[in-house]
């Protein structure tokens, strides 16, 4: 299983970015796919989650109204559209997927997920 994130970069405050997470070796369908972010010295933070088969999405409070998670089943890719970016959004962003072994954990718990991408840096300048 491999997850590959892309789309990060440097953007000014108020700008937008779209992150992509493409999977191989696993089909994004029945299990949660999460987007997380992490800054040095802090714990990994859940940003958004999607369960494609349930057409269910969720967001952290900081992401609600600004970020949108979506999927393309043909491309086996999940996207995170980020708008109105703030310097506080600066972090390495990771996508992750689970195998269902710990689905009882909340979506924003990193321990729920079994596979992680390598991360993509998002930097928002003020």
């Amino acid at each position: 299983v491999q997850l590959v994130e892309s789309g990060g970069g440097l953007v000014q405050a108020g700008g937008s970015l779209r992150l992509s997470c493409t999977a191989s070796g696993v089909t994004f369908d029945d299990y949660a796919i999460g987007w997380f972010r992490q800054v040095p010295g802090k714990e990994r933070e859940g940003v958004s989650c999607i369960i494609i088969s349930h057409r269910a999405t969720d967001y952290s409070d900081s992401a609600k109204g600004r970020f949108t998670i979506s999927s393309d089943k043909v491309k086996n890719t999940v996207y995170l559209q980020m708008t109105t970016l703030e310097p506080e959004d600066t972090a390495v962003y990771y996508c992750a997927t689970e195998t269902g072994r710990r689905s009882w954990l909340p979506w924003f718990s990193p321990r729920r997920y079994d596979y992680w991408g390598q991360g993509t840096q998002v930097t928002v300048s003020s």
Side-chain angles (χ1 to χ4, degrees):
V1 176
Q2 187 177 22
L3 304 179
V4 178
E5 301 100 335
S6 61
L10 173 64
V11 64
Q12 288 188 331
S16 300
L17 283 174
R18 189 179 77 159
L19 305 183
S20 300
C21 172
T22 300
S24 58
V26 66
T27 301
F28 286 155
D29 198 6
D30 292 330
Y31 297 117
I33 302 102
W35 280 102
F36 289 77
R37 65 188 183 186
Q38 190 170 25
V39 297
K42 290 192 174 182
E43 293 186 355
R44 199 162 289 191
E45 173 193 13
V47 175
S48 184
C49 170
I50 186 169
I51 303 177
I52 296 169
S53 61
H54 295 177
R55 299 185 180 181
T57 61
D58 209 346
Y59 299 90
S60 65
D61 287 343
S62 63
K64 283 178 184 175
R66 299 189 301 129
F67 296 1
T68 303
I69 193 168
S70 62
S71 65
D72 184 326
K73 290 187 69 174
V74 173
K75 295 182 178 179
N76 209 29
T77 297
V78 169
Y79 303 98
L80 185 68
Q81 178 70 49
M82 306 187 294
T83 63
T84 320
L85 284 162
E86 304 166 350
E88 293 74 22
D89 296 315
T90 295
V92 178
Y93 283 70
Y94 300 89
C95 67
T97 191
E98 59 167 337
T99 60
R101 292 184 299 169
R102 292 178 293 279
S103 291
W104 52 274
L105 289 170
W107 71 265
F108 47 83
S109 171
R111 294 193 299 122
R112 173 170 175 162
Y113 299 86
D114 299 283
Y115 301 108
W116 293 83
Q118 82 289 350
T120 185
Q121 176 71 46
V122 171
T123 303
V124 184
S125 63
S126 58

